[in-house]
Amino acid sequence: MHAARSRTLAVLALIPSLLISATAAPGAVRAGAAPDPPHAATAPGSTPRTLAPTPPMGFNNWNAFGCDVSETLIRETADVLVSSGLADAGYEYVNIDDCWSLRERGPDGRLVPDPVKFPNGIAGLADYVHGKGLKLGIYGDAGTATCAGYPGSLGHEMIDAQTWADWGVDYLKYDNCNNQGDGSQQDFVRRYTAMREALDATGRPIVYAICEWGQSQPWTWAADVGDLWRTTGDISDNWASLRSIIAQNAALAPYAGPGNWNDPDMLEIGNGGMSDLEYRTHMSMWAMMAAPLLIGTDLRTATPETLAILGNRDIIAIDQDRLGVQGAVVSDQGGLMVLDKPLAGGDRAIALYNSTDALATVSIPVRETGLRRAGAYRLRDVWTGQVTQAESVISAGVPAHGTVVYRVRPLADPAAVPPQVAVGGTLGNLIPGGLGDGTLVGTVTNRGVGALRDVRVTVSAPGGWTVDAIGDTRRRSLDSNASLKTTWTVRVPEQTTAGRYPIVVTADYRWGPRQRTTSTASTVVSVVITPPGPGRRHLSTVAPVSTGNREGPVETDQSNGGGADNDGNLITISGRVYHRGLGTTAPSELVYLLGGACTRLVTDVGIDDGSTSGTAPVTFTVYVDDTAVASSGPVSLGAAPVTLTADLTGALWLRLVTTGGDGGTGGAAHADWAAPILSCGDAGPDDPVLPTERTIYSFESGTEEFTVANPGSGGTVAQTSTFHTEGSHGLTVSTPKDGNWFGRTFAEPLDLSGADRLRFDARAGGLGTVGEIAVQVGPDFAWCQGGLWTWINPHASRTVTEEVSDLSCPAGVTLDLSQVRAVWIFLNGGGEVHVDNVRAEYPE
């Protein structure tokens, strides 16, 4: 699936239903969870398909351009691939995605290229691309219509395959929208095999990319059908999406091999939603997972940094290694993952991946990898080119969201090679002006053969900060696999603003027979917290100094669903649903800095209706400094919410504490602080709550003329009192299986200037749904749409959020929020979905 970006309401996307079972829902695939392959067709050493002996490399326009595809774009991209050297690095396919054809087939039943977008047709474009030494790819769909509503190939497989072959197409991405199927694996196999047979009948070699989003676990059946298969939902240009897809795809190593590749979706590198460090992780993990490398950015305007990431020959060599083995997960604990990938010639690629939000030392004993035993190992960092040696453990200080990749081989004589030295550090949150000095603990570990001499650790911080060592910071000698731990006090100046600041820990040392002097450094990102500003605000928008929770993280604006992040539902206490709050598991504690600036806290508390493991009563207590000022007494599951009001005048610290809730073998009760509002400064009880919101649809007066954007696709709406997060009513939507957009146009333009988010609350029925948001702007009603496609599990609830900055408009259209002509929400699945409180949110 992909997010269709259309120019007008008449060409709205028909996004498919995501019939994802509980075992195959996004995020459900875990390391080690994959069953044994059903056959050995993809095992290393077996006879592979010849069309894709290594993962395909090239370009696809969708991530950067959506429906704005044209002959000019494809020609110019082919030119840049050649002129930039990317073609020489292995990028050979230039792939056209959706929206390339007319909306109707020709009189002969064939697909017709849009003559405005492709004046020379696809055949003429293929000739141009082939003349550059490259290959051309195209897009089709195993349904009655593509995701953007253009003709699909279901029932037209033979004529479409022959048409593409006649045009000189070399690659087919075959999507899954509007598939008319029953959701069974047999149906997927039937539809995708039909196109496989049609392609074979043409006699032209065409790489076949199955794009059914991992719904039917294609890794278990597609080895004899396609050359690659999507394993996940669509990627988005943000860290949460990248992290989720890595977690899902990394577990599927047994199913990949020459001619058959797990495809975790196209690259987002260069599109601006992540840092260069995160983009290097993107490239690193795709290479380690032997994934296709399909560039998804505008190469005509790509920065040198983007081109350097995409063009790194060392990381490409790992992806394209002729053994064709996907790296296996050999360690996965606490957000730190290690992958091991064998390479032709005997080397191995070892990736140390840190998905957490802090610097971490990631390590793996050599004996837990596939490296043969040796006295030492040569490590070459494929991003920096630095060469070091290690004795028995491969280790590095890896920054938050970063990945270090080494190409490793046994080393006979380590004496002339610098030792691998890992520098790590931990530091809690910092508070300016002496209210909360931080303790930085730095760790220097010698992983090389031979002792380090004259080890000295230093710490550098931003100007005006004070860093003082506690104890010794030197060591005359540091043996192999020994560590030096140093401790430092970090003080932040009083006027420092809240934010993230770098602190660099550096180790200087001498090594080897000639006692060469070398240094190794790592950056610890320190988080500075300041008291809240004046005004009334949702406490869930204030960063705590510290949290403690019996199970999993403290969740923001949702209940705690278990051990994973973002796994809860909208907070619900005795049937009342809240879209703001803090979800914990008792016993728990949250600590906030007030600095004497706040006056009042009002909050509802109770045990979440979703609490099934721990059902014993919970007591909620509010502490001001060390004094309890409000308490709920024991609250049982099913009891109505209890409202607590606390006077915070003059308090430096606020603590929210829950006790009880079993805490033993019965599990932990899910204890909610619902809609907590903090007042600071001279804020009055009638002041607006920050961040301010503007309701667009409340459904208090009825359906508010909600309708469907595509009448032919189905869907109905009705007011309901069953689900509501504001007021006493919401909306029940009967969704079509393949989905529709629900909303309405406005008689006069709506001015949402300054809004930075659009949101709505939803609870899915028994089939689940995808949620998305779009707006129409300006006199031409230009369609601007988000691309996150938030999945809501069956019977689950959450707030669907789209950043205004992520709304994508057609080329040449400016997103003018002062001229909003319509707001739409997308839902699908074929069942009932309850929604409420469609709103715009404004920054403070």
Side-chain angles (χ1 to χ4, degrees):
M1 184 182 74
H2 52 225
R5 297 164 183 160
S6 307
R7 286 186 173 82
T8 67
L9 186 58
V11 292
L12 297 183
L14 299 179
I15 304 299
S17 63
L18 292 184
L19 300 179
I20 299 176
S21 69
T23 59
V29 180
R30 298 177 285 110
D36 292 336
H39 52 72
T42 62
S46 63
T47 302
R49 286 186 173 275
T50 58
L51 294 185
T54 58
M57 296 176 61
F59 166 88
N60 179 290
N61 66 276
W62 186 262
N63 285 353
F65 298 96
C67 274
D68 295 321
V69 63
S70 67
E71 180 176 323
T72 298
L73 170 64
I74 299 302
R75 282 176 174 254
E76 291 178 352
T77 298
D79 294 342
V80 176
L81 282 172
V82 173
S83 64
S84 66
L86 289 172
D88 287 340
Y91 294 94
E92 63 174 337
Y93 292 98
V94 191
N95 295 345
I96 305 167
D97 212 284
D98 205 348
C99 312
W100 59 266
S101 75
L102 291 179
R103 294 235 168 226
E104 303 293 337
R105 292 177 176 269
D108 58 357
R110 292 180 180 266
L111 295 167
V112 181
D114 186 325
V116 175
K117 294 179 179 179
F118 297 92
N120 291 297
I122 302 300
L125 180 57
D127 289 343
Y128 183 86
V129 170
H130 292 157
K132 291 283 183 178
L134 303 171
K135 297 179 180 180
L136 184 72
I138 206 161
Y139 169 95
D141 188 276
T144 55
T146 71
C147 295
Y150 293 81
S153 294
L154 185 65
H156 302 270
E157 290 86 357
M158 295 300 293
I159 192 172
D160 289 352
Q162 190 60 56
T163 298
W164 295 325
D166 292 344
W167 290 341
V169 166
D170 307 293
Y171 183 112
L172 171 64
K173 173 184 173 181
Y174 203 47
D175 218 331
N176 189 40
C177 288
N178 305 296
N179 56 57
Q180 312 304 312
D182 59 11
S184 67
Q185 189 179 81
Q186 291 80 3
D187 176 70
F188 283 89
V189 173
R190 176 186 59 80
R191 288 184 293 109
Y192 281 94
T193 299
M195 181 54 75
R196 167 79 274 160
E197 293 171 348
L199 292 172
D200 289 343
T202 69
R204 180 175 180 81
I206 298 177
V207 171
Y208 185 27
I210 294 172
C211 182
E212 57 82 82
W213 328 308
Q215 281 193 353
S216 67
Q217 298 185 327
W219 48 90
T220 66
W221 60 263
D224 294 327
V225 180
D227 301 291
L228 58 153
W229 47 80
R230 279 279 297 280
T231 58
T232 70
D234 285 4
I235 193 170
S236 297
D237 187 23
N238 60 73
W239 173 247
S241 173
L242 180 63
R243 179 181 60 190
S244 172
I245 286 179
I246 290 172
Q248 294 176 66
N249 194 75
L252 303 178
Y255 299 95
N260 299 124
W261 307 106
N262 293 315
D263 178 11
D265 207 0
M266 300 168 289
L267 299 171
E268 291 280 9
I269 296 165
N271 286 333
M274 290 182 273
S275 67
D276 284 345
L277 182 144
E278 290 166 337
Y279 285 141
R280 284 191 291 273
T281 284
H282 192 350
M283 189 75 174
S284 296
M285 295 301 283
W286 261 233
M288 290 296 299
M289 296 187 297
L293 300 178
L294 295 175
I295 296 168
T297 195
D298 187 349
L299 287 174
R300 302 168 302 178
T301 59
T303 65
E305 292 78 11
T306 293
L307 294 175
I309 294 170
L310 294 170
N312 184 306
R313 299 294 183 101
D314 290 329
I315 200 69
I316 290 172
I318 291 172
D319 179 78
Q320 295 289 295
D321 184 79
R322 60 183 172 84
L323 287 186
V325 179
Q326 178 172 329
V329 178
V330 293
S331 178
D332 186 8
Q333 296 181 342
L336 309 179
M337 182 185 289
V338 180
L339 269 63
D340 175 15
K341 177 175 167 57
L343 305 174
D347 289 2
R348 298 186 84 90
I350 304 294
L352 310 176
Y353 162 56
N354 176 11
S355 70
T356 75
D357 296 331
L359 172 71
T361 299
V362 186
S363 304
I364 190 73
V366 170
R367 67 178 181 273
E368 296 181 13
T369 72
L371 286 159
R372 64 179 175 85
R373 290 189 178 183
Y377 299 88
R378 178 184 186 271
L379 283 59
R380 184 176 188 277
D381 187 318
V382 300
W383 288 106
T384 67
Q386 182 182 26
V387 175
T388 56
Q389 51 87 4
E391 182 183 58
S392 59
V393 177
I394 298 171
S395 181
V398 184
H401 305 180
T403 303
V404 173
V405 181
Y406 293 117
R407 191 173 183 121
V408 186
R409 68 180 63 158
L411 179 64
D413 182 13
V417 180
Q420 186 191 38
V421 177
V423 176
T426 60
L427 176 64
N429 295 330
L430 302 174
I431 301 171
L435 287 176
D437 293 346
T439 300
L440 169 64
V441 178
T443 304
V444 179
T445 304
N446 174 23
R447 294 301 185 187
V449 175
L452 304 180
R453 304 293 180 186
D454 298 329
V455 181
R456 182 170 66 93
V457 181
T458 56
V459 174
S460 60
W465 292 32
T466 301
V467 180
D468 296 317
I470 303 173
D472 197 4
T473 61
R474 297 172 180 259
R475 182 77 60 85
R476 293 187 63 181
S477 177
L478 192 63
D479 292 336
S480 296
N481 294 317
S483 298
L484 168 62
K485 182 177 291 186
T486 60
T487 305
W488 311 74
T489 297
V490 180
R491 175 165 292 188
V492 182
E494 186 171 359
Q495 300 305 316
T496 304
T497 58
R500 301 169 69 86
Y501 296 83
I503 295 179
V504 180
V505 182
T506 303
D508 296 289
Y509 48 88
R510 293 187 293 113
W511 62 274
R514 298 176 61 182
Q515 294 294 285
R516 297 176 175 89
T517 300
T518 302
S519 64
T520 301
S522 289
T523 299
V524 179
V525 177
S526 58
V527 178
V528 174
I529 293 178
T530 57
R536 299 173 71 221
R537 58 177 42 81
H538 295 288
L539 186 62
S540 59
T541 66
V542 178
V545 174
S546 64
T547 63
N549 213 36
R550 183 175 186 271
E551 181 182 6
V554 173
E555 298 284 7
T556 300
D557 296 333
Q558 61 181 294
S559 64
N560 181 292
D565 183 40
N566 195 36
D567 61 357
N569 294 302
L570 291 174
I571 288 172
T572 307
I573 303 173
S574 190
R576 180 173 176 182
V577 184
Y578 301 79
H579 70 270
R580 291 287 191 179
L582 299 159
T584 75
T585 51
S588 64
E589 180 183 67
L590 294 84
V591 179
Y592 294 87
L593 171 67
L594 301 183
C598 299
T599 57
R600 192 169 186 252
L601 174 72
V602 179
T603 181
D604 285 355
V605 298
I607 298 180
D608 197 88
D609 289 358
S611 185
T612 58
S613 58
T615 58
V618 172
T619 298
F620 297 78
T621 306
V622 179
Y623 288 87
V624 169
D625 296 325
D626 292 324
T627 303
V629 296
S631 179
S632 66
V635 179
S636 299
L637 177 65
V642 175
T643 300
L644 300 180
T645 301
D647 184 354
L648 309 180
T649 304
L652 292 178
W653 300 98
L654 168 67
R655 287 195 299 135
L656 307 182
V657 177
T658 64
T659 54
D662 285 348
T665 57
H670 295 187
D672 297 331
W673 301 85
I677 296 177
L678 179 70
S679 298
C680 300
D682 57 359
D686 297 326
D687 288 355
V689 181
L690 303 174
T692 56
E693 297 177 344
R694 176 176 179 178
T695 300
I696 301 172
Y697 306 118
S698 69
F699 310 114
E700 291 302 302
S701 61
T703 62
E704 300 189 11
E705 300 181 8
F706 243 49
T707 186
V708 294
N710 300 296
S713 297
T716 60
V717 300
Q719 188 188 42
T720 182
S721 59
T722 300
F723 174 85
H724 49 85
T725 55
E726 289 289 334
S728 57
H729 291 86
L731 197 70
T732 296
V733 181
S734 295
T735 66
K737 177 183 172 185
D738 291 324
N740 209 336
W741 292 93
F742 297 85
R744 67 178 175 90
T745 58
F746 305 122
E748 297 294 333
L750 183 66
D751 187 353
L752 298 179
S753 298
D756 64 348
R757 289 177 172 179
L758 298 175
R759 316 183 88 170
F760 69 92
D761 306 319
R763 185 173 70 197
L767 296 177
T769 186
V770 162
E772 189 48 275
I773 301 174
V775 299
Q776 289 179 275
V777 296
D780 295 329
F781 286 72
W783 184 270
C784 301
Q785 178 179 310
L788 290 181
W789 302 102
T790 301
W791 170 251
I792 305 175
N793 282 323
H795 306 295
S797 60
R798 65 176 49 242
T799 297
V800 175
T801 300
E802 190 65 64
E803 302 289 336
V804 167
S805 60
D806 289 337
L807 293 174
S808 179
C809 300
V813 173
T814 298
L815 180 60
D816 184 358
L817 290 184
S818 70
Q819 295 290 314
V820 176
R821 308 306 302 265
V823 176
W824 302 91
I825 63 175
F826 182 87
L827 301 166
N828 68 359
E832 284 192 348
V833 179
H834 301 290
V835 298
D836 193 22
N837 197 16
V838 182
R839 59 196 183 274
E841 184 176 291
Y842 296 79
E844 291 190 31

